[in-house]
Every structure is written in structure tokens, then in C-alpha cells.
Amino acid sequence: MRVAGAAKLVVAVAVFLLTFYVISQVFEIKMDASLGNLFARSALDTAARSTKPPRYKCGISKACPEKHFAFKMASGAANVVGPKICLEDNILMSGVKNNVGRGINVALVNGKTGGVLDTKYFDMWGGDVAPFIEFLKSIQDGTIVLMGTYDDGATKLNDEARRLIAELGSTSITSLGFRDNWVFCGGKGIKTKSPFEQHIKNNKDTNKYEGWPEVVEMEGCIPQKQD
């Protein structure tokens, strides 16, 4: 009897040890798989982060060099969506900010610091060009000037206003017509014509919207004014 009891005990212990061994092996395999999956996910996440394209100021396509201001701007879309002007990741004018309007929208920026000096819009359809001319005359040397049209920016423009804008570096202002879309970045005291200007004529055969051309967009890097 004692021998039989001892044999049963040995068998029971052996079964227990075998069961424990099998469970531990299965658990270890699952742990290894879980850790493997964890490391794999971590590696994929790291790779995804490393391949994600970088974002530059104002959403422009590449970083600006040192001592340059990044900017991006768009004209209005028909008479529905207002223009947008961004400088150094700061939205200066937009429909969301509720500081844009029909006509020519203007943002003035300090050429040394990049700080905003003023934002205004001038109705060139139903308004008076005289306040716009006085505004243009008051701009100080070294000021960066960004302009964008919304709806119609040309009907009330006269020769004097066009000349003052041309002195800021614009080439297209002389031919800006009714409901043309136009964006421009120049400066007071500039010695040459600005490279930052886009202009699309209002043409019923090519217009994207009924009565208006497509939106014009522009981005770039403005050299910081040096002492």
C-alpha cells in the first residue's frame, strides 16, 4: 500500500511539473511574440515619424535661409472667400480673422523685425481711391508691403495709385484690370522690380468661377532688411 501511495505521489508530482513546464513554455512564447510585436510597432512608428515630410513656416515648400522671412499668400476666390496673407507662421489677414474686404488688401511689415505694422483693405469697386493713395504715400522706407485682391481690385485705381504701387516693385499693377486676381510682395525703397508677384486676368473663356479667374497663390522668402 505504501509503495502504491508513493508511486501515485511521484506520478502526481511528475504530472504537475510537466504541466508547469508546458504552461511556462507557452507563456514564454506568447511573451516573446508580444514583445516582438511591440518592438515591430515601435520601429514602424519611428520610421513613419522619420519619413513624414517636415512642415515649414506658413506651410511653404522649403525652409527659408537665415535672415529671411517666410511668407505665403493667396488672392480671394471670386467674391466668396477672402484673401489670406501669412508671414513667419502668423496669419496677418484672412476671412477667419475678419480683417479682409473687397478691393486691395494690404499688410505692412517691419523689414527688420518682421513685426506687423498695419493691415487694411481698400474698396476699389464702390469706394474712393483717395484714402488708398494717402495710405501708400505714408509707407516708410524699409517696410515690406504685401497685397492681394478680393472680388475687384482695379476699377477705382487711377494712374497715381498705380504709379505708387509700381514704386514698391510691382510690374503687373499697370495692367491690373476689372476682377483680375493678383498677389504682390514688395517694399518701400526697393531698387529693383520685385520677384514676388502673380497675376491672372479675368477672361470669360478661361475663368474658373463665373465672372472671376482662379485663385492665385504665392510663397517665398523675403530678405530681412539689414542696417
Side-chain angles (χ1 to χ4, degrees):
M1 291 291 292
R2 289 180 180 178
V3 173
K8 289 182 179 178
L9 179 61
V10 170
V11 171
V13 170
V15 170
F16 172 78
L17 290 175
L18 180 61
T19 303
F20 177 78
Y21 174 77
V22 171
I23 292 174
S24 66
Q25 290 298 307
V26 171
F27 182 74
E28 184 176 350
I29 291 170
K30 288 184 177 179
M31 283 293 292
D32 288 344
S34 298
L35 287 172
N37 290 336
L38 180 63
F39 288 133
R41 285 197 299 269
S42 177
L44 288 172
D45 291 343
T46 302
R49 284 195 296 270
S50 64
T51 57
K52 184 178 179 180
R55 183 193 178 279
Y56 302 113
K57 292 178 180 178
C58 291
I60 66 175
S61 57
K62 62 180 181 180
C64 286
E66 187 178 354
K67 296 182 178 179
H68 283 70
F69 300 123
F71 82 94
K72 187 172 185 178
M73 55 194 305
S75 69
N79 62 347
V80 179
V81 180
K84 184 176 181 180
I85 300 175
C86 175
L87 183 96
E88 286 291 287
D89 242 7
N90 295 316
I91 304 299
L92 309 186
M93 302 186 75
S94 71
V96 174
K97 290 180 72 73
N98 197 30
N99 63 347
V100 296
R102 181 174 66 181
I104 295 181
N105 294 259
V106 188
L108 303 183
V109 175
N110 187 303
K112 291 183 180 180
T113 66
V116 182
L117 301 174
D118 202 358
T119 58
K120 278 187 169 62
Y121 61 87
F122 298 88
D123 187 349
M124 293 291 102
W125 166 254
D128 185 355
V129 73
F132 186 35
I133 290 173
E134 291 306 310
F135 177 81
L136 292 171
K137 288 180 177 179
S138 71
I139 300 173
Q140 300 296 307
D141 279 356
T143 301
I144 297 169
V145 184
L146 303 105
M147 297 185 177
T149 55
Y150 179 27
D151 189 359
D152 173 41
T155 296
K156 290 294 181 70
L157 281 180
N158 58 18
D159 290 342
E160 183 177 12
R162 292 177 188 270
R163 176 181 59 79
L164 290 168
I165 296 173
E167 289 175 358
L168 299 172
S170 172
T171 301
S172 299
I173 191 62
T174 55
S175 60
L176 188 68
F178 173 66
R179 286 185 176 175
D180 289 358
N181 273 342
W182 172 69
V183 288
F184 164 69
C185 175
K188 185 64 177 286
I190 191 171
K191 304 301 182 184
T192 59
K193 291 301 180 182
S194 171
F196 302 124
E197 188 168 29
Q198 295 290 332
H199 177 207
I200 296 183
K201 298 293 291 182
N202 171 21
N203 184 324
K204 65 179 182 179
D205 295 326
T206 58
N207 283 347
K208 182 174 182 178
Y209 310 104
E210 184 178 353
W212 290 270
E214 64 182 292
V215 172
V216 286
E217 295 182 307
M218 180 172 66
E219 64 178 52
C221 304
I222 308 167
Q224 183 181 6
K225 181 175 173 56
Q226 305 299 312
D227 293 328

